[in-house]
């Protein structure tokens, strides 16, 4: 993995250590099933877009990527020792609701070097159904001519009113990389953003069907 695909100030060795922590430690409290990992492009500029329903989404995805992965993370996380570590492993802080293009330009530099940047288009945690999407992911892909890799996550959000869960199951489905539709100006950006949102919504529905089918097969197997 080339360190050239990390932001300035990041260290390749620490980046790989961070991914090891994700794979070996962050996953420990969960039963994680990954579907479609072979669809992840191993080289070239990629904007990974995922639905967002829990704080653990990003750390889990970070360890699933078989290459350097730079995620856009809310600036509030970049405080104290954790902030130092996040910067050193190549993550980029963004201020929600503020017109600051500095982190986006840093992400574009990563993409133009052939890197992968992860974005949660919803902008904040929600139900994970991508009812709306912000323009950042589409802007990055268009500015760097990157492919967009949709990812659907289910199981990270604890249901309302539920108590602590024992080894909850998490399913992650990687979709096929796509190229966003061409178009100029604000109108083109809006169209591209809607294409990202639609792709994610369809992938989430596909994952829900996949999980339901696997649960049915498991139930039949227990009764057999």
């Amino acid at each position: 993995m080339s360190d050239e695909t990390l932001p300035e100030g990041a260290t390749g060795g620490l980046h790989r250590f961070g991914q090891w922590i994700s794979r070996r430690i962050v996953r420990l409290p969960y039963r994680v099933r990954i579907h479609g990992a072979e669809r992840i492009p191993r080289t070239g500029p990629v904007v990974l877009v995922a639905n967002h329903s829990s704080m653990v989404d990003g750390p889990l995805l970070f360890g699933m990527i078989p290459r350097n992965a730079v995620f856009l993370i809310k600036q509030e996380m970049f405080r104290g020792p954790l902030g130092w570590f996040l910067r050193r492993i190549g993550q980029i802080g963004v201020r929600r609701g503020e017109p600051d293009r500095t982190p986006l330009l840093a992400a574009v530099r990563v993409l133009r070097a052939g890197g992968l940047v992860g974005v949660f288009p919803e902008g904040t945690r929600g139900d994970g159904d991508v009812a709306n999407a912000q323009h950042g992911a589409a802007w990055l892909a268009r500015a760097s001519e990157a492919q967009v890799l949709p990812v659907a996550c289910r199981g990270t959000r604890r249901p309302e009113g539920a108590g602590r869960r024992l080894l909850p199951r998490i399913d992650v489905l990687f979709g096929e990389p796509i190229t966003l539709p061409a178009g100029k100006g604000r109108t083109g950006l809006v169209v591209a953003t809607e294409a990202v949102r639609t792709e994610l919504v369809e992938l989430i529905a596909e994952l829900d069907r996949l999980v339901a089918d696997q649960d049915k097969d498991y139930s039949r197997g227990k009764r057999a």
Side-chain angles (χ1 to χ4, degrees):
M1 292 183 286
S2 173
D3 293 351
E4 295 176 359
T5 58
L6 293 174
E8 184 179 350
T11 302
L14 277 177
H15 184 91
R16 290 183 282 277
F17 177 60
Q19 289 185 313
W20 181 88
I21 291 175
S22 173
R23 296 182 188 116
R24 301 295 183 181
I25 299 176
V26 176
R27 277 199 207 181
L28 279 177
Y30 308 99
R31 291 173 294 144
V32 179
R33 300 192 302 189
I34 304 172
H35 314 272
E38 70 281 357
R39 297 169 174 167
I40 304 171
R42 271 28 180 198
T43 59
V46 174
V47 176
L48 180 153
V49 294
N51 60 322
H52 195 23
S53 57
S54 168
M55 285 188 66
V56 78
D57 293 328
L60 281 175
L61 285 173
F62 178 63
M64 294 178 192
I65 309 301
R67 55 185 288 189
N68 289 343
V70 176
F71 278 78
L72 300 185
I73 302 173
K74 65 179 181 179
Q75 187 63 41
E76 293 91 331
M77 300 294 294
F78 287 78
R79 295 173 180 164
L82 176 60
W84 177 89
F85 184 68
L86 289 174
R87 292 186 186 90
R88 295 293 282 174
I89 65 173
Q91 308 311 286
I92 297 175
V94 293
R95 300 183 188 279
R96 294 178 296 183
E98 295 185 21
D100 182 5
R101 299 187 70 174
T102 301
L104 291 180
L105 293 176
V108 166
R109 287 193 290 272
V110 168
L111 292 165
R112 289 179 176 169
L116 181 148
V117 173
V119 182
F120 296 102
E122 293 165 280
T124 187
R125 297 191 305 276
D127 293 331
D129 293 323
V130 199
N132 57 73
Q134 298 184 9
H135 297 312
W139 186 88
L140 286 173
R142 283 156 54 91
S144 60
E145 299 182 351
Q147 288 185 298
V148 172
L149 177 67
V151 186
C153 304
R154 285 299 202 197
T156 58
R157 180 187 176 105
R158 185 164 61 186
E160 295 293 337
R164 185 176 297 275
R165 300 176 295 170
L166 178 62
L167 290 175
R169 193 181 73 203
I170 293 174
D171 284 271
V172 177
L173 174 61
F174 290 89
E176 294 286 353
I178 64 169
T179 300
L180 293 182
K184 295 182 179 180
R186 178 76 176 181
T187 300
L189 182 59
V190 170
V191 171
T193 299
E194 182 58 21
V196 169
R197 194 191 73 82
T198 300
E199 197 71 24
L200 268 179
V201 168
E202 292 176 353
L203 191 66
I204 292 166
E206 180 183 343
L207 177 58
D208 288 343
R209 290 192 297 270
L210 176 64
V211 170
D213 289 343
Q214 290 184 341
D215 287 345
K216 288 178 183 177
D217 290 341
Y218 177 73
S219 297
R220 292 193 193 103
K222 288 186 69 176
R223 291 197 297 267

